[in-house]
Amino acid sequence: MGGTAVVVGGGIGGLAAAIGLRRIGWDVRVVERAATLADAGAGISLHANGLRALDALGVGADVRAAARPQYTGGTRTPGGRRLARMDGAALERALGTPIVGIRRTVLHRLLRDALPPECLLVGVTVSALDRSAADRVGVPAGDEVLDADLVVAADGVGSRLRSLLFPGHPGPVYAGSTVLRAVTERPLELCSDFELTWGRGAEFGHIAFGDGRAEWHAVLNAPAGVRHADPLGMLRRRFADWHDPVPALLDATRPEDVLHHDIHELATPLRSFVAGRVVLLGDAAHAMTPHLGQGACQALEDAVTLAAALASQPSVTTALARYDAERRPRSQAVARAARQAGRMGQQLSHPLAVALRNTALRLAPSRVTVRAILRHADWTAPSLD
C-alpha cells in the first residue's frame, strides 16, 4: 500500500516519519513553519530504543558515527558526592548499544540528508485542514493546497492540529520547571560522558560530545514565564558552589548561546492519536517532561511504528488503528514515568525528602539503575525492509 502523505512539522519526529514513509514507497512532503531550519536546541541523549528506530530508518550508522557513547557518569549531590553510577558497559551488554550523546543540529541534519530537498517546504504554517472527504485531506500550505491520503501532525507540544482535531482537550500545561541549556564554545577536560547533579529544586547535567565540547542543562523549579536579563550570570551565581565541572561548563559558554524554555507536557492523555486520516506523532501526541531522556526516542518509535503499520495493513484506516493501539499505551506510560521521575528527582525541594531520596540512591545497587533504564529503552523496532 502506497500513497501521498503530508507531514506537518520538520523536527526530529516529523523528519523521521517522512523517512519511514518514503522507505515503504509513499510520496511525502514535509511542511515546516520556520523560514529557515535553524535547529534550535543544544544536545540530546539517545537510548537504545531511539537508536533501534534510527537503524530501521536506515540512518542509525550515520548517527552513531557522529555521536559519542556514554559509558561513564551518573548522579551526584551539589557537593560532588556520588549518588548513583551509570554503567554504560552494562547497558551495552544488555541492549547492544550504550546511550549516545549528539548535538541536535547534527541529528537534524542527518535526518534531512536522508530526504530529497524537494520534500521540504519551509516557511509555511498549517493552521487548518480540509477533512470534508472521507479518504483525503486537503492541507492549505501557502499558495497551494496539498492533497493527501494521510496527514502526520508532528507540530510539537503546542500543536495547532491537535487543538483542531481534539478541541475539548485542555492541551499542554506547565510542568513546574524551566530549563536553560547551551553547548560550550570550547572543549573541556571532563571526567565523565554524562552526569546529573540534583540539588533542592534544581538539576544540572552535561553531555560530552566527540569534539570535546559539551552540552549542559540547568532545570529549575520556577514560575512559568520568568526570564532573566543575564541568564548566564544568574546561573553562575546559582551554581557557584556546586562541584566541578559545573562552574567550568558555564565559564566555557557564550551568553548568546544560552537557550531558555519552560517545560510543558500533556498531563491529560489524549483518548486517541488518530482522527480520520490525520495521525498525531511525537510531542503533538504525548509531550513529556525530559526527566527520562525519552521524548525524542518516543517520537522515533512513533515514526517507525507508523511506517510499519502502513506497510503491513490492508488500508490506511486499519494501519492507523494499529498505530494507535501500539503507540498510545506505551508512550503515555513513559510520559507518566517521566513525570514521576521529575517529582522524585529534580523537583524535590524539601530538605528531608531530598535527604531520604539521596540515601535510597546511595544504597541501591547499580543493577537497579540499569533495570530502570532497560524498562523504557528495551524496545524492538519493526522492520521496514
Side-chain angles (χ1 to χ4, degrees), residues 153-202:
D155 51 342
V157 59
S159 171
R160 295 174 182 232
L161 297 188
R162 183 186 60 235
S163 64
L164 287 175
L165 301 172
F166 301 100
H169 189 272
V173 297
Y174 182 54
S177 301
T178 193
V179 58
L180 298 94
R181 54 166 62 94
V183 175
T184 61
E185 182 185 15
R186 54 182 171 79
L188 293 88
E189 290 290 336
L190 297 171
C191 296
S192 58
D193 301 319
F194 170 86
E195 202 147 65
L196 295 178
T197 300
W198 282 343
R200 293 173 53 186

Side-chain angles (χ1 to χ4, degrees), residues 3-251:
T4 302
V6 174
V7 178
V8 181
I12 292 171
L15 293 172
I19 295 168
L21 291 171
R22 282 182 52 82
R23 282 183 74 87
I24 63 169
W26 281 57
D27 293 325
V28 185
R29 295 292 298 277
V30 179
V31 183
E32 167 57 44
R33 66 181 179 181
T36 58
L37 296 172
D39 302 335
I44 188 172
S45 291
L46 292 172
H47 292 245
N49 53 325
L51 291 167
R52 289 172 178 175
L54 290 165
D55 288 336
L57 296 172
V59 295
D62 290 338
V63 171
R64 285 183 175 84
R68 173 169 165 167
Q70 296 175 1
Y71 287 110
T72 60
T75 307
R76 296 181 182 271
T77 67
R81 184 174 185 182
R82 176 75 65 185
L83 295 176
R85 190 176 302 275
M86 183 185 74
D87 191 342
L91 288 172
E92 186 172 34
R93 288 193 298 271
L95 298 172
T97 178
I99 302 170
V100 303
I102 188 170
R103 291 195 66 171
R104 281 183 177 269
T105 54
V106 174
L107 179 58
H108 281 220
R109 175 178 54 78
L110 292 172
L111 293 174
R112 281 201 307 273
D113 287 349
L115 296 168
E118 60 269 21
C119 276
L120 301 175
L121 180 60
V122 301
V124 174
T125 297
V126 176
S127 56
L129 297 173
D130 180 358
R131 301 170 61 217
S132 56
D135 59 350
R136 307 291 293 174
V137 181
V139 184
D143 296 330
E144 60 180 324
V145 176
L146 305 177
D147 187 47
D149 298 295
L150 172 69
V151 172
V152 180
D155 51 342
V157 59
S159 171
R160 295 174 182 232
L161 297 188
R162 183 186 60 235
S163 64
L164 287 175
L165 301 172
F166 301 100
H169 189 272
V173 297
Y174 182 54
S177 301
T178 193
V179 58
L180 298 94
R181 54 166 62 94
V183 175
T184 61
E185 182 185 15
R186 54 182 171 79
L188 293 88
E189 290 290 336
L190 297 171
C191 296
S192 58
D193 301 319
F194 170 86
E195 202 147 65
L196 295 178
T197 300
W198 282 343
R200 293 173 53 186
E203 170 185 300
F204 194 98
H206 77 255
I207 299 170
F209 298 137
D211 63 0
R213 293 190 295 171
E215 183 261 11
W216 58 259
H217 71 264
V219 188
L220 306 171
N221 290 353
V226 173
R227 294 296 182 268
H228 304 272
D230 179 12
L232 189 58
M234 179 276 294
L235 292 173
R236 285 172 173 161
R237 293 187 295 272
R238 176 69 174 78
F239 296 102
D241 60 348
W242 284 37
H243 67 84
D244 291 333
V246 174
L249 286 161
L250 296 172
D251 287 342

Side-chain angles (χ1 to χ4, degrees), residues 298-317:
Q298 291 301 306
L300 292 168
E301 285 189 23
D302 290 347
V304 175
T305 302
L306 176 62
L310 289 164
S312 62
Q313 293 296 304
S315 70
V316 172
T317 300

